[in-house]
Amino acid sequence: MRTREAIEPKELAFDIDGVVADTMEVFVRLAHSRYGLSHLSKEHMTCYDLYQCLNLEREIIDDLICLTLDDEHTLQIPPMPLAPDVLTELAEHGPLRFVTARIWPESIIRWLQQTLPQVAPENIQVVATGSPEAKLGILQELGVRCFVEDRLETCHFLVRAGIQPLLYDQPWNRTSNQYPRFRTWLQLRQTIFPENGTNHNTGAGGP
Ligand SMILES: [Mg+2]
């Protein structure tokens, strides 16, 4: 597989929501607490367009999305397991680059700074594009070769432009197998740092 070639950290960038941040965990929590939708889980989100896959009124979905992305709730989003460790390690090789389709980057920048306290703020670079489609031009400008993303539709146009998508596994992106899929940040780490990543889950690297 192409991604088994070493990826230079400087050629790499990350989406934030659904990749570094477990954003929909907050959506689910709010659905439970505000609307009593206690049956709802992330597993019900089988496509990126929540209007299509959740059997809920449009107004409720809109309200939950708004709440999830507001400043107060953004700061409560849990990180994906091990994402802070791997990103902190990666920051030793150069600035971390994040490209998000959010319109307002302030709260997610603050979230990244609180999630990555050992990374200098100037080494956390965030571009907010306002739309998924605008990610391509930014990634090209930044010289990014590989982009970690959870939205399949974004992967489709990135790969056509020669950027290798690394798909972070989520219930809403399991309808395609065309991209290298990463279920954990440990797997991502092993691709980014293949020379020292083998001991963590196989035990096969020992003497
Ligand atoms: Mg995302």
Side-chain angles (χ1 to χ4, degrees):
M1 194 190 303
R2 266 172 300 171
T3 54
R4 290 295 174 260
E5 296 166 15
I7 295 170
E8 286 284 315
K10 66 174 188 315
E11 296 176 324
L12 189 59
F14 301 87
D15 175 34
I16 305 173
D17 294 296
V19 170
V20 184
D22 196 357
T23 311
M24 295 323 271
E25 193 59 43
V26 171
F27 182 102
V28 168
R29 178 153 50 81
L30 288 164
H32 293 183
S33 63
R34 303 257 174 150
Y35 289 98
L37 299 166
S38 52
H39 67 282
L40 187 82
S41 77
K42 262 172 49 173
E43 296 303 312
H44 292 106
M45 302 174 181
T46 53
C47 66
Y48 197 85
D49 181 354
L50 298 180
Y51 305 114
Q52 274 185 40
C53 56
L54 297 185
N55 190 19
L56 293 174
E57 283 170 41
R58 199 173 185 91
E59 291 69 30
I60 294 179
I61 293 175
D62 287 343
D63 186 44
L64 288 169
I65 291 173
C66 256
L67 283 167
T68 300
L69 298 179
D70 74 16
D71 291 353
E72 178 193 345
H73 293 101
T74 288
L75 292 175
Q76 298 171 10
I77 297 173
M80 292 295 176
L82 285 178
D85 307 74
V86 177
L87 287 169
T88 300
E89 188 178 355
L90 189 64
E92 291 166 20
H93 300 263
L96 302 174
R97 281 112 42 99
F98 301 95
V99 180
T100 173
R102 286 189 181 221
I103 302 168
W104 313 108
E106 290 79 9
S107 60
I108 202 69
I109 291 174
R110 228 177 319 139
W111 181 87
L112 283 166
Q113 290 173 349
Q114 84 181 14
T115 301
L116 304 169
Q118 293 174 65
V119 179
E122 62 269 25
N123 282 336
I124 298 175
Q125 299 175 354
V126 178
V127 180
T129 63
S131 79
E133 292 69 27
K135 284 183 173 182
L136 174 59
I138 298 293
L139 293 172
Q140 287 173 328
E141 255 173 57
L142 294 172
V144 169
R145 193 170 66 90
C146 296
F147 188 62
V148 188
E149 171 66 56
D150 65 305
R151 182 177 179 266
L152 281 175
E153 295 77 4
T154 304
C155 294
H156 297 335
F157 64 73
L158 293 184
V159 81
R160 283 199 296 270
I163 293 172
Q164 173 66 56
L166 307 182
L167 188 65
Y168 193 82
D169 180 63
Q170 291 285 4
W172 48 86
N173 63 33
R174 292 180 186 152
T175 51
S176 166
N177 279 326
Q178 64 191 111
Y179 307 110
R181 179 178 295 273
F182 294 85
R183 294 182 194 281
T184 65
W185 272 81
L186 190 57
Q187 287 181 341
L188 265 175
R189 183 187 182 280
Q190 287 166 350
T191 297
I192 302 167
F193 304 112
E195 73 288 351
N196 59 3
T198 51
N199 287 338
H200 280 260
N201 68 350
T202 65

